[in-house]
Amino acid sequence: MAVDVGHYAAEPGVISASGRPEFEYNRDLALELKSQLERSGMQVRLIGERGEYQRLGWRTRDAQGADLFVSIHHDSVKERLLPRADEFAGFSLFLSRFNPFPARSLACASAMGKELRAGGFKPSRYHADAVLGESRPFADEANGVHYYDNLAVARSATMPSVLVEAGVIVNAAEEAKMRDPEVRATIARAVAEGVRECLSK
Ligand SMILES: [Zn+2]
């Protein structure tokens, strides 16, 4: 099992409402997810946690042999919608139909979404919207799973792969939640439970 920390120090992804880079949120959540998975006896490889992984190829190389590749991210909105960022919240899950295991990727993403909902989190849904998002079609609407076929990290992985957008950190209220260690642990537990479910099938 491989857990990938999205982005790297020189290009740290989204800058949150309070000015904290996404990379730091991704690293904190990835570490928590790793420890949750290890608690159930799973072997977990953490990828890119030191912030030097500028090349995508290094991530998929490090993941070789893993049964699942989960990439951890935190979300933003289109630039022109940033003034309305507080209207956007929730998690989103993405997979690519160009991944060699699309059905298994979808099963894992759906299980994660189901567990996140059971943990009290809501899917953000706006990525499917043509105006607010990028018209990313739903793969499993109820569980917040979308197709994002050209997503490089999911496409190039040689094992099932899911990208997790845990929450919208350009929304100040949601950012505060994402920063709360208890919320982070709840998200990690839910994602870990989804991983266990789909890998045991
Ligand atoms: Zn990201």
Side-chain angles (χ1 to χ4, degrees), residues 40-98:
S40 52
M42 230 174 258
Q43 281 201 349
V44 183
R45 239 175 277 174
L46 201 57
I47 296 176
E49 79 278 17
R50 286 179 300 275
E52 84 286 32
Y53 267 23
Q54 345 178 344
R55 294 240 183 110
L56 186 69
W58 296 344
R59 298 174 189 266
T60 38
R61 175 200 66 197
D62 283 9
Q64 270 172 33
D67 45 7
L68 178 65
F69 183 94
V70 175
S71 189
I72 300 294
H73 288 256
H74 288 72
D75 214 353
S76 183
V77 295
K78 289 179 176 174
E79 200 168 350
R80 65 179 171 81
L81 294 171
L82 280 172
R84 294 169 52 193
D86 290 352
E87 296 169 31
F88 298 86
F91 71 85
S92 299
L93 301 157
F94 298 94
L95 68 123
S96 168
R97 280 172 287 203
F98 296 136

Side-chain angles (χ1 to χ4, degrees), residues 6-7 13-14 22 26 72-75 165:
H7 306 284
V14 174
E22 179 193 345
N26 297 345
I72 300 294
H73 288 256
H74 288 72
D75 214 353
E165 295 280 6

Side-chain angles (χ1 to χ4, degrees), residues 163-176:
L163 185 140
V164 178
E165 295 280 6
V168 181
I169 54 172
V170 290
N171 170 338
E174 179 128 301
E175 182 190 9

Side-chain angles (χ1 to χ4, degrees), residues 98-118:
F98 296 136
N99 175 278
F101 304 96
R104 198 143 174 88
S105 301
L106 175 56
C108 287
S110 290
M112 289 175 198
K114 191 188 80 178
E115 292 299 335
L116 282 164
R117 288 168 59 218

